[in-house]
Amino acid sequence: MGKLELLQTLTGHVGRVWSAAWHPGGKVFASCGEDKTIRVWTKTDTDRWVAQTVLTDGHTRTIRDVAWSYCGHYLASASFDTTVAVWDKKSGEFECNATLEGHDNEVKSVTWSRSGNLLATCSRDKSVWIWEINHAPDQEDEYECVAVLNGHTQDVKKVCWHPQEDLLASASYDNTIRMYRQDLADSEWEMLEPLESHSSTVWSIAFDVTGKRLASCSEDKTVKIWQQYGPDNTLGIPCPERGTVWKCVCTLSGYHSRSVYDIDWCKQTGLLATACGDDMVRIFKEASDSDPNEPTFELVVTIEAHSQDANKVTWHPTVAGVLLTTSDDGEIKVWQYVDAD
């Protein structure tokens, strides 16, 4: 077993805090919520997190998600006002330098590709959009929508890029996960076969550090682990021509008493964290004798992290075991995971 030690509780947002995202350097993070603001937090000399900047003029409704680009120069925010704002500090202060319009309904999630030149968004309008970014020196950045993908039949809750490749995954109210890849022959974005196993809304998804595994969490109170298999796999799993397939290799059920709203995979330790509608945060660790094709995970932490729904869990990008959580209770908490062994 392990434990989560609370390092700091951060207040300032009014109403629920939907999301938070670490800057890739790990010395800054951003948070967003119902109060239509983004807060950018930095550490003081005394090792305390403080809101250095509050961005108030980007959106007219709830901000549902924030994401930093891998280079760390851009912050994107997704809002119920149907737009995505892109912020940067080229002038020295954070400014909204692009507003991406096109979705017909609330935008639920935004994510940057590893390559840095693609941004993906998803919405209650059931679509996933892929935007190409043209960064030109001494000129304004240009954002062009290069694909509108209509594979889902319901509200799309989450988009997530693969950690190395330009492979995009999305999760939806239609109980499925979809993946998208660019066809190199004609540059068109194609939809791969849906990942079907959950019996209700898939709220969130996260790739592990290798990109060969995907974790998903759902309204059905389960977490599922999906494994990627290529044409040369030893199990004889058939793969489409030139492609790979994703198979559900593990279901974690019986641990959560309500909807599981978010999930994240620690890049350093492989620990899985979940945020749940029962106000709890849970951490799972893969067993040491786990079979990669039929993995087993142990629940190592269950903690009442908040006084209302836990909405977001996100591990620190460089420091092992540091976790951010956000909640409907208006608070953000910073935790340290400690192995009890």
Side-chain angles (χ1 to χ4, degrees), residues 229-246:
Y229 292 97
D232 52 355
N233 72 80
T234 54
L235 299 184
I237 294 169
C239 293
E241 45 183 297
R242 79 184 193 293
T244 58
V245 293
W246 291 81

Side-chain angles (χ1 to χ4, degrees), residues 248-320:
C248 180
V249 292
C250 174
T251 299
L252 300 174
S253 60
Y255 297 104
H256 300 88
S257 63
R258 295 187 65 182
S259 300
V260 192
Y261 290 127
D262 197 32
I263 191 157
D264 195 34
W265 222 311
C266 182
K267 304 290 185 276
Q268 290 82 20
T269 63
L271 293 169
L272 262 182
T274 61
C276 186
D278 61 8
D279 317 341
M280 308 286 235
V281 166
R282 291 171 178 81
I283 295 175
F284 297 87
K285 185 178 189 176
E286 188 164 4
S288 52
D289 58 353
S290 178
D291 173 350
N293 297 306
E294 291 180 23
T296 48
F297 287 79
E298 301 159 344
L299 179 66
V300 291
V301 172
T302 304
I303 188 166
E304 190 167 338
H306 291 278
S307 60
Q308 294 179 45
D309 293 7
N311 292 323
K312 181 75 179 179
V313 279
T314 180
W315 293 102
H316 195 284
T318 59
V319 181

Side-chain angles (χ1 to χ4, degrees), residues 162-165 167 179 195 206-215 225-230 232 244-247 249 265 292-293:
H162 187 281
Q164 282 97 34
E165 305 165 33
L167 173 72
M179 294 205 180
L195 280 55
F207 285 101
D208 76 346
V209 68
T210 68
K212 290 183 169 33
R213 278 182 172 175
L214 182 80
I225 310 296
W226 306 79
Q227 177 97 15
Q228 184 184 38
Y229 292 97
D232 52 355
T244 58
V245 293
W246 291 81
K247 293 283 180 194
V249 292
W265 222 311
N293 297 306

Side-chain angles (χ1 to χ4, degrees), residues 25-306:
K27 295 185 166 53
V28 174
F29 71 87
S31 61
C32 65
E34 203 172 18
D35 61 8
K36 315 183 204 79
T37 72
I38 298 166
R39 290 179 170 259
V40 181
W41 305 80
T42 53
K43 247 183 175 181
T44 62
D45 297 341
T46 56
D47 227 25
R48 305 295 285 169
W49 291 97
V50 294
Q52 175 201 35
T53 308
V54 183
L55 306 175
T56 57
D57 57 354
H59 295 287
T60 58
R61 289 186 62 196
T62 289
I63 304 174
R64 185 64 178 85
D65 197 20
V66 280
W68 294 94
S69 60
Y70 277 86
C71 65
H73 298 316
Y74 298 91
L75 176 68
S77 54
S79 170
F80 286 3
D81 67 11
T82 76
T83 72
V84 172
V86 183
W87 309 77
D88 64 49
K89 285 182 81 172
K90 287 178 182 172
S91 66
E93 300 289 325
F94 276 101
E95 286 183 352
C96 174
N97 281 332
T99 300
L100 310 184
E101 298 176 336
H103 281 293
D104 294 336
N105 211 320
E106 299 170 355
V107 187
K108 297 295 180 74
S109 175
V110 59
T111 176
W112 299 85
S113 69
R114 185 71 186 84
S115 60
N117 62 347
L118 295 169
L119 187 72
T121 59
C122 67
S123 166
R124 192 174 174 179
D125 66 13
K126 309 176 190 173
S127 70
V128 171
W129 288 45
I130 296 176
W131 309 78
E132 206 166 60
I133 305 130
N134 184 19
H135 299 303
D138 305 322
Q139 290 182 355
E140 285 195 6
D141 300 314
E142 292 180 1
Y143 294 80
E144 180 193 358
C145 175
V146 292
V148 176
L149 302 160
N150 292 303
H152 288 293
T153 58
Q154 298 288 341
D155 186 357
V156 191
K157 301 291 188 186
K158 178 82 175 181
V159 277
C160 179
W161 286 104
H162 187 281
Q164 282 97 34
E165 305 165 33
D166 286 345
L167 173 72
L168 180 68
S170 62
S172 169
Y173 188 71
D174 68 10
N175 309 352
T176 72
I177 299 158
R178 284 205 166 255
M179 294 205 180
Y180 316 86
R181 185 189 289 285
Q182 198 167 23
D183 186 331
L184 298 178
D186 60 8
S187 295
E188 291 294 312
W189 285 85
E190 56 182 0
M191 282 183 288
L192 310 181
E193 285 299 305
L195 280 55
E196 297 174 319
S197 182
H198 283 292
S199 60
S200 191
T201 300
V202 187
W203 280 104
S204 192
I205 43 180
F207 285 101
D208 76 346
V209 68
T210 68
K212 290 183 169 33
R213 278 182 172 175
L214 182 80
S216 59
C217 62
S218 169
E219 186 85 13
D220 67 14
K221 306 177 191 171
T222 72
V223 165
K224 290 182 185 280
I225 310 296
W226 306 79
Q227 177 97 15
Q228 184 184 38
Y229 292 97
D232 52 355
N233 72 80
T234 54
L235 299 184
I237 294 169
C239 293
E241 45 183 297
R242 79 184 193 293
T244 58
V245 293
W246 291 81
K247 293 283 180 194
C248 180
V249 292
C250 174
T251 299
L252 300 174
S253 60
Y255 297 104
H256 300 88
S257 63
R258 295 187 65 182
S259 300
V260 192
Y261 290 127
D262 197 32
I263 191 157
D264 195 34
W265 222 311
C266 182
K267 304 290 185 276
Q268 290 82 20
T269 63
L271 293 169
L272 262 182
T274 61
C276 186
D278 61 8
D279 317 341
M280 308 286 235
V281 166
R282 291 171 178 81
I283 295 175
F284 297 87
K285 185 178 189 176
E286 188 164 4
S288 52
D289 58 353
S290 178
D291 173 350
N293 297 306
E294 291 180 23
T296 48
F297 287 79
E298 301 159 344
L299 179 66
V300 291
V301 172
T302 304
I303 188 166
E304 190 167 338
H306 291 278

